[in-house]
């Protein structure tokens, strides 16, 4: 996407093998990049959410394995890197998918060939993510076009499933960006997405730079807007989709799906196919990450030109911080993929991805 007149991806490799990323923990108040040169730095980037979003986590993991070939390309060294990177975030299936693919690919080669192959594979994973999201955007664009009436199409989204969560285009935002390219009037309701505020910080930042009309909402306002007829459809992403169509996404997504069903608002989940975990029979099997209580007890913001952190919860009160919830397939109108829109069911997914039909759980 374009930032201040320059095209950017969220991750890239420099000529010397350093992997560049946009430090998303600095947004929206500062745009900074970071160079990753060690496996530990790549693991920290994923765990600390300098990079986040299932597709981008997968691409970063692949580049982390490429970095490992610079330091220790032995079998033992690469298996250790695989374990280190794999321990960072449990919910996003793209992490495991990319790590397993990278490890299997490089272990089949002589040590002297591993570095070039690992970087080429990571670049390919990144390029394929861009292509999938662009194709996903085309299928979602048709749904936005179908929702058009007299004014702009009002779309509600949750968390950040934008280009910052992928290598480019985004998942839930890909149809929105395509609509904007077509000159179609759209307006996006942006959930703030507590506790990390990925909507208010990241989605709003993206949309502002793309010139797309949007309004940031408190998380609990979406149901009210749906009741008032001010939402035409919901578009969200997912970190892992089970073979039966259940989806895990940022905490709060389930509540939006319930409100959408009650008010008759279409609720679509946008997912490139590596986000589907064909080994899981239902969303009940998806591991849910429990993150630091500090994400709930403290909030950061800009004050007098400085980014500051403030405590907002009664000191000493216990805090729980599940990072994701599972939306059952019965609440999902459809799954928007790079191959088309699938019914949220085992048969619906198998129809678009028949190569996985016999191996799914």
């Amino acid at each position: 996407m374009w930032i201040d007149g320059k095209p950017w991806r969220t991750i890239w490799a420099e000529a010397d093998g350093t992997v560049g990323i946009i430090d998303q923990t600095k947004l929206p108040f500062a745009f900074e990049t970071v160079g990753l040169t060690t496996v530990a730095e790549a693991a920290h980037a994923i765990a600390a959410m300098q990079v986040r979003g299932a597709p981008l986590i997968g691409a970063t993991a692949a580049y982390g394995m490429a970095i490992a070939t610079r330091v220790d390309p032995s079998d033992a060294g690469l298996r250790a890197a695989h374990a280190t990177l794999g321990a960072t975030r449990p919910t996003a299936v793209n992490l495991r998918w990319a790590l397993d693919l990278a490890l299997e690919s490089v272990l089949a080669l002589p040590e002297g060939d591993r570095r070039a192959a690992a970087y080429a594979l990571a670049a390919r994973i990144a390029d394929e993510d861009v292509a999938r999201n662009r194709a996903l955007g085309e299928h979602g664009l048709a749904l936005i076009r179908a929702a058009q009436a007299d004014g702009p199409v009002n779309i509600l989204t949750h968390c950040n499933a934008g280009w910052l969560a992928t290598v480019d285009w985004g998942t839930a935002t890909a149809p929105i960006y395509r609509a904007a390219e077509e000159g179609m009037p759209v307006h996006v309701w942006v959930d703030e997405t507590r506790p990390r505020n990925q909507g208010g910080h990241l989605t709003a930042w993206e949309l502002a730079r793309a010139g797309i009309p949007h309004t940031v909402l408190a998380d609990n306002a979406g149901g009210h807007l749906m009741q008032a007829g001010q939402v035409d459809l919901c578009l969200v992403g997912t970190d892992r989709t089970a073979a039966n169509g259940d989806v895990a996404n940022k905490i709060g997504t389930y509540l939006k799906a319930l409100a959408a069903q009650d008010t008759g608002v279409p609720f679509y989940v946008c997912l490139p196919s590596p986000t589907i975990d064909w080994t899981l029979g239902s969303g009940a099997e998806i591991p849910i990450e429990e993150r630091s209580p500090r994400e709930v007890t403290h909030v950061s913001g800009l004050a007098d030109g400085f980014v500051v952190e403030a405590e907002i919860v009664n000191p000493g009160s216990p805090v729980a911080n599940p990072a994701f919830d599972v939306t059952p397939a019965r609440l999902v109108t459809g799954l928007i993929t790079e191959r088309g829109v699938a019914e949220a069911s085992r048969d619906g997914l198998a129809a678009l991805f028949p190569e996985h039909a016999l191996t799914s759980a």
Side-chain angles (χ1 to χ4, degrees):
M1 303 302 288
W2 290 83
I3 303 297
D4 297 330
K6 178 182 176 181
W8 285 87
R9 286 186 174 186
T10 54
I11 191 166
W12 61 93
E14 304 285 1
D16 65 355
T18 299
V19 174
I21 61 169
I22 297 169
D23 186 350
Q24 298 187 33
T25 64
K26 304 296 186 182
L27 294 172
F29 307 117
F31 181 82
E32 298 181 10
T33 62
V34 174
L36 308 177
T37 60
T38 67
V39 172
E41 289 174 347
H44 173 76
I46 297 171
M49 297 180 72
Q50 289 177 302
V51 295
R52 20 76 48 214
L56 180 54
I57 287 173
T60 306
Y63 272 114
M65 291 296 290
I67 290 171
T69 64
R70 301 172 62 196
V71 181
D72 182 0
S74 68
D75 288 11
L78 294 175
R79 291 187 189 280
H82 181 281
T84 297
L85 292 162
T88 52
R89 303 282 310 272
T91 302
V93 71
N94 303 58
L95 175 69
R96 186 189 68 201
W97 166 78
L99 288 174
D100 289 350
L101 179 60
L103 185 65
E104 179 183 358
S105 299
V106 297
L107 288 184
L109 300 172
E111 284 191 16
D113 296 336
R114 290 177 174 178
R115 176 175 175 174
Y119 275 95
L121 175 62
R124 192 187 86 205
I125 286 174
D127 289 342
E128 288 176 350
D129 180 65
V130 176
R132 286 190 191 98
N133 295 330
R134 169 78 189 206
L136 184 159
E138 294 296 329
H139 296 296
L141 174 62
L143 298 173
I144 296 177
R145 185 178 288 117
Q148 260 192 304
D150 294 332
V153 178
N154 286 292
I155 301 165
L156 185 141
T157 191
H158 188 72
C159 194
N160 173 256
W163 75 270
L164 288 167
T166 67
V167 180
D168 206 348
W169 282 100
T171 57
T173 58
I176 296 168
Y177 290 137
R178 284 292 295 115
E181 283 188 341
E182 295 287 311
M184 194 179 305
V186 294
H187 169 264
V188 184
W189 296 110
V190 179
D191 281 355
E192 61 179 345
T193 322
R194 284 280 296 151
R196 290 190 63 94
N197 295 318
Q198 294 100 319
H201 285 180
L202 305 179
T203 303
W205 183 84
E206 282 190 35
L207 295 175
R209 273 143 193 81
I212 294 175
H214 63 282
T215 306
V216 178
L217 293 172
D219 283 347
N220 290 329
H224 165 71
L225 292 179
M226 293 184 211
Q227 287 180 323
Q230 296 183 59
V231 179
D232 296 306
L233 71 161
C234 299
L235 295 177
V236 302
T238 173
D239 286 73
R240 188 182 303 214
T241 301
N244 72 336
D246 292 347
V247 295
N249 193 49
K250 183 56 58 180
I251 195 75
T253 303
Y254 173 49
L255 295 178
K256 294 299 158 60
L258 286 170
Q261 184 187 61
D262 186 58
T263 55
V265 174
F267 185 91
Y268 290 98
V269 180
C270 305
L271 59 142
S273 55
T275 310
I276 305 169
D277 189 341
W278 299 98
T279 71
L280 296 188
S282 76
E285 302 172 58
I286 297 175
I288 300 300
E289 178 181 3
E290 181 77 22
R291 292 188 60 82
S292 167
R294 192 174 183 86
E295 293 182 350
V296 176
T297 60
H298 290 69
V299 65
S300 64
L302 195 65
D304 298 324
F306 297 95
V307 176
V308 298
E309 189 176 64
E311 188 170 9
I312 59 171
V313 171
N314 176 59
S317 289
V319 171
N321 187 18
F324 301 90
D325 57 25
V326 174
T327 299
R330 61 183 171 80
L331 299 179
V332 178
T333 307
L335 303 171
I336 307 174
T337 78
E338 70 268 22
R339 294 187 185 178
V341 182
E343 177 186 271
S345 67
R346 186 181 306 277
D347 289 343
L349 284 170
L352 285 186
F353 300 94
E355 67 272 27
H356 294 285
L358 296 178
T359 59
S360 64

